[in-house]
């Protein structure tokens, strides 16, 4: 027996009706978030780091006298302020050899590894914050190069007369300057400001500000604190250059944030004023009435 389909509801036919087209609602003031292509960012990072490394080597003043004189000034200032804790931390670290070796490896690897990991995380997970954060760290590092050039500074591990000991050479440990080749391929008198402290604070600040996970926020506190402890106890930096590095990254991040979040409004206002003046000049020309009735409308529609 043939089955008869039930009649279609009143006002409808049995034919399938096409689904309505999806409407795209544009919300004023909300822009589509995009990030630069990966290849361009990798090229930018490679070029920037190569320039940073080469500049550190080139911007070394003739002789090491100024670097050691500046080191004496830094130590004298810290003793006057009562914050010269580097020697005590250095001696304490050497009493625990396994901790000293761990600190040496941390100093050599975390500075670049953790920073690169945060850059990748920002690119993939926080595209709305990637550009200004990336620009901030680049501004700070570029300014730091001026500090390396204008104020060369010998690290504490070179001040043997003051009692400092380099844990890398003392324990024959792995480290950033464990070999003669690594020591000659970088500027070891570029201690002011400390970009180890600055980059670590950059990573910690972004983790604290942009993550919702508790463990990530805790990591954002622990990592910069650990970095500061390591750079002081391994006799690679002073309290003052660590403070300078942190202050530099803070200022650069603030400038970058203002550039990316505050500048569009003035720029748009300037564009509107320029457009208005241009329209007024066009209307003041002979034949403006005809232009207003015909061509002027087209001009306004094209945004002139």
């Amino acid at each position: 027996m043939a089955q008869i389909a039930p009649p279609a509801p009143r006002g409808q036919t049995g034919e399938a009706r096409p689904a309505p087209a999806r409407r795209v609602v544009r919300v004023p003031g909300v822009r589509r978030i995009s990030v630069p292509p990966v290849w361009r960012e990798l090229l930018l990072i490679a070029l920037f780091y190569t320039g940073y490394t080469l500049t550190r080597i080139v911007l070394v003043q003739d002789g090491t006298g100024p670097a050691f004189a500046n080191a004496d000034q830094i130590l004298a200032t810290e003793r006057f302020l009562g914050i010269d804790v580097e020697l005590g931390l250095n001696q304490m670290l050497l009493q625990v050899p396994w901790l000293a070796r761990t600190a040496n490896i941390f100093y050599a690897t975390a500075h670049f590894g953790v920073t690169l990991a945060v850059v990748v995380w920002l690119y993939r997970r926080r595209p709305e914050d990637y550009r200004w954060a990336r620009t901030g760290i680049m501004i700070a590092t570029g300014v730091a190069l001026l500090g390396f050039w204008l104020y060369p500074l010998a690290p504490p591990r070179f001040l043997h007369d003051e009692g400092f000991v380099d844990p890398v050479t003392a324990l024959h440990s792995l480290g950033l300057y464990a070999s003669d080749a690594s020591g000659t391929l970088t500027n070891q008198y570029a201690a002011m400001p400390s970009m180890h402290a600055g980059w670590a604070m950059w990573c910690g600040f972004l983790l604290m500000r942009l993550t919702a996970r508790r463990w990530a926020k805790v990591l954002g506190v622990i990592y910069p604190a650990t970095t500061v402890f390591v750079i002081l106890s391994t006799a690679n930096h002073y309290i003052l250059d660590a403070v300078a590095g942190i202050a530099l990254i803070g200022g650069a991040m603030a400038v970058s944030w203002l550039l990316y979040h505050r500048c569009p409004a003035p720029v748009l206002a300037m564009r509107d004023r320029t457009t208005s003046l241009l329209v007024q000049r066009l209307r003041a020309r002979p034949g403006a009435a005809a232009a207003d009735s015909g061509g002027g409308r087209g001009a306004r529609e094209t945004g002139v």
Side-chain angles (χ1 to χ4, degrees):
M1 180 176 179
Q3 295 183 354
I4 301 175
R10 189 174 182 180
Q12 297 183 7
T13 62
E15 299 179 357
R17 301 180 66 180
R22 296 182 60 186
R23 295 179 59 189
V24 178
V25 180
R26 297 185 180 274
V27 180
V30 177
R31 298 178 303 172
R32 180 185 176 187
I33 299 171
S34 62
V35 291
V38 175
W39 66 267
R40 196 179 77 178
E41 290 302 293
L42 291 177
L43 180 62
L44 179 63
I45 292 173
L47 291 176
F48 184 83
Y49 178 71
T50 301
Y52 169 68
T53 303
L54 293 177
T55 306
R56 279 171 56 109
I57 300 174
V58 173
L59 296 182
V60 179
Q61 296 182 353
D62 296 335
T64 59
F68 283 94
N70 292 334
D72 293 336
Q73 292 178 357
I74 292 292
L75 279 180
T77 303
E78 291 188 352
R79 286 167 180 164
F80 175 78
L81 298 174
I83 59 174
D84 54 324
V85 300
E86 298 89 348
L87 183 58
L89 292 175
N90 182 232
Q91 294 174 345
M92 180 188 70
L93 183 68
L94 291 171
Q95 294 176 3
V96 188
W98 69 266
L99 183 60
R101 292 188 176 93
T102 303
N104 292 335
I105 297 174
F106 181 93
Y107 182 83
T109 59
H111 179 51
F112 300 105
V114 175
T115 305
L116 182 59
V118 173
V119 169
V120 174
W121 170 75
L122 281 172
Y123 185 88
R124 298 190 61 184
R125 301 291 185 178
R126 293 293 185 273
E128 67 275 14
D129 295 292
Y130 173 76
R131 292 177 183 271
W132 74 268
R134 174 255 282 157
T135 303
I137 193 174
M138 288 187 171
I139 292 175
T141 306
V143 174
L145 293 176
L146 295 177
F148 302 156
W149 178 34
L150 299 175
Y151 197 82
L153 181 62
R157 57 190 173 85
F158 286 168
L159 307 181
H160 304 297
D161 294 341
E162 298 289 344
F164 290 99
V165 176
D166 185 353
V168 173
T169 57
L171 301 175
H172 304 285
S173 168
L174 294 175
L176 186 60
Y177 307 111
S179 63
D180 294 336
S182 62
T184 56
L185 292 177
T186 186
N187 178 8
Q188 298 191 59
Y189 298 94
M192 174 64 80
S194 170
M195 282 294 94
H196 270 79
W199 286 15
M201 185 57 63
W202 181 83
C203 295
F205 169 76
L206 293 175
L207 289 176
M208 285 288 295
R209 184 179 184 272
L210 302 179
T211 57
R213 299 179 182 272
R214 185 182 299 272
W215 66 266
K217 291 184 179 294
V218 172
L219 182 61
V221 176
I222 292 177
Y223 175 62
T226 302
T227 300
V228 172
F229 169 77
V230 167
I231 65 177
L232 297 179
S233 61
T234 56
N236 281 288
H237 288 278
Y238 306 87
I239 283 284
L240 290 181
D241 63 65
V243 171
I246 293 172
L248 176 59
I249 201 72
M253 291 290 282
V255 170
S256 180
W257 190 89
L258 290 174
L259 288 175
Y260 277 86
H261 293 83
R262 296 294 185 183
C263 283
V267 170
L268 290 176
M270 183 179 296
R271 186 194 66 180
D272 293 340
R273 288 195 299 268
T274 303
T275 302
S276 178
L277 291 174
L278 181 58
V279 171
Q280 292 177 7
R281 290 181 180 179
L282 288 175
R283 289 179 176 177
R285 293 179 179 178
D292 286 341
S293 61
R297 180 181 178 184
R300 287 194 296 272
E301 289 177 353
T302 56
V304 176

